[in-house]
Amino acid sequence: MDFSFTKKEEKFRTELRTWLEANLPEGWLEGKRDLPEDLDEYSRVLRAWQHTLYEGGWAAIAWPKEYGGRGASLMEEIIYHQEMVRVKAPPLINYIGIHMVGPTLIDIGTDEQKERYLKKILTGEEIWCQGYSEPGAGSDLTGLKTRAVKDGDHWLINGQKVWTSFGHVADKCFLLTRTSTHPEKKHRGITVFMMDMHQPGVETLPIVQMDGHSEFNEVYMTDAVATDADIVGQVDSGWHVLIALMLHERTGIGAELFTLEKQFNDTVELAQQYKVNGKPLIENPAIRQKLASFYARVRGSLLNYYKNLTTTIKNGQPGAETSIDKLVVTELNQALSAFAVEIQGHQGVLVDKDAVADPKWQHLFLASFGQTIGGGTSEVQRNTIGERVLGLPKDMGR
């Protein structure tokens, strides 16, 4: 592995930095980064940022040029993520559309579907969520009960999804349904639809999380309608569509490692500024030892991510090793944010305006539990790593 960047790649970095300095929201680089609390205004601001990225050609750099991307190399993607983390760029409201649905449609979708959806994903005109998890099914996506039944020229969809990220702002849903009641195997008889979220029969109810935010949702479908043109892949053959999308998803999650590196640096800064008995915490040997341990874990995780990227470059597509990145980034994020709260002592229980230090740490810690569940739980990732990376026997509990 060679971790150095070529002149061409450094030129790419300079081009992106110049563009960010000219196009980030006013005051953003100077620290004015508060986003609106009101949901409609929040959505409007982030859709506008998505459109700004599109106009600059930075909405989906990894997509092929013919579909509005830059055909960027994986190394350029690394630089892109590094620079976005460096300036703490506004969050990507169409994350699922850009990193999961779009790449999957490019791989599997029909020409009509690419024409219909890809540009609107790039511009932020249509925001996407994914309808996978269901009550009672846990992480077993083959246990889904949402049914789609052919009725003349249409499909009628009935069922419930839960933990649907971005469902409260989404225009479209990448929906997993059961279309066969007696499949030979559980992963057969599944069909993926692209469902309109604004139609009658679709109700979205935000779930208030323990950090006070409502990013997850319940979605109820009662005779919601879709057509054959809304199917991705073939009827009853949605499992391979799902696998393709999840590989893209885990590659995107792995890129969050750069955010983790920034989070570690912020933790060091917290220990330098936060004082106990008049002395900065950073002077406490136990704190320094713990930070050193975190540094080693973050650096090790980053090097492993680079190793997986090298494998992806050689093979042309991500493999099961991406589960390592997903597992590591979410669990390390949880441990690091828990440590940042812990070192604040009893004041660590204070949140928002009552917090003594930056209240982001309390929110990061509380939100971290959802991240170890979304996109496949840590237990699922461990099974994937054991069976498909290490070649161990299948989990006897399944």
Side-chain angles (χ1 to χ4, degrees), residues 123-174:
T123 61
E125 186 176 347
E126 288 182 339
I127 305 300
W128 285 75
C129 63
Q130 55 181 174
Y132 283 8
S133 298
E134 297 191 4
S139 295
D140 181 9
L141 295 179
T142 64
L144 79 165
K145 298 186 183 304
T146 294
R147 294 267 295 138
V149 177
K150 195 70 180 286
D151 182 27
D153 294 335
H154 295 79
W155 291 82
L156 295 180
I157 302 172
N158 287 277
Q160 179 190 354
K161 299 292 179 179
V162 71
W163 312 123
T164 307
S165 302
F166 301 103
H168 57 309
V169 294
D171 304 291
K172 305 290 294 187
C173 180
F174 202 80

Side-chain angles (χ1 to χ4, degrees), residues 225-285:
V225 175
T227 68
D228 287 343
D230 297 322
I231 294 174
V232 184
Q234 303 297 318
V235 175
D236 290 343
S237 300
W239 188 250
H240 79 281
V241 179
L242 170 67
I243 296 299
L245 182 138
M246 291 183 73
L247 287 174
H248 289 297
E249 176 181 15
R250 287 169 191 166
T251 301
I253 289 173
E256 294 295 322
L257 275 161
F258 298 114
T259 302
L260 201 60
E261 194 173 33
K262 178 70 173 60
Q263 190 176 331
F264 169 78
N265 294 332
D266 289 348
T267 308
V268 173
E269 187 176 324
L270 173 67
Q272 291 170 331
Q273 296 176 350
Y274 201 80
K275 296 181 179 178
V276 174
N277 297 325
K279 291 185 177 180
L281 277 175
I282 198 73
E283 296 182 10
N284 184 320

Side-chain angles (χ1 to χ4, degrees), residues 12 25 81 92 103 106 117 206 211 219 314 326 357 380:
F12 175 86
H81 290 304
L92 198 59
I106 290 172
Y117 293 109
D211 67 348
V219 179
K314 289 179 179 176
K326 201 280 179 184
V380 169

Side-chain angles (χ1 to χ4, degrees), residues 307-362:
K307 176 178 176 292
N308 291 339
L309 280 178
T310 302
T311 303
T312 301
I313 291 171
K314 289 179 179 176
N315 297 338
Q317 60 182 6
E321 293 84 359
T322 54
S323 284
I324 300 173
D325 297 323
K326 201 280 179 184
L327 176 67
V328 167
V329 73
T330 54
E331 297 217 332
L332 192 47
N333 168 63
Q334 188 172 96
L336 197 53
S337 56
F339 176 70
V341 172
E342 179 186 351
I343 63 177
Q344 296 175 44
H346 64 277
Q347 293 175 333
V349 301
L350 301 176
V351 298
D352 296 332
K353 64 181 181 182
D354 296 323
V356 176
D358 188 336
K360 75 173 184 179
W361 294 111
Q362 284 78 359

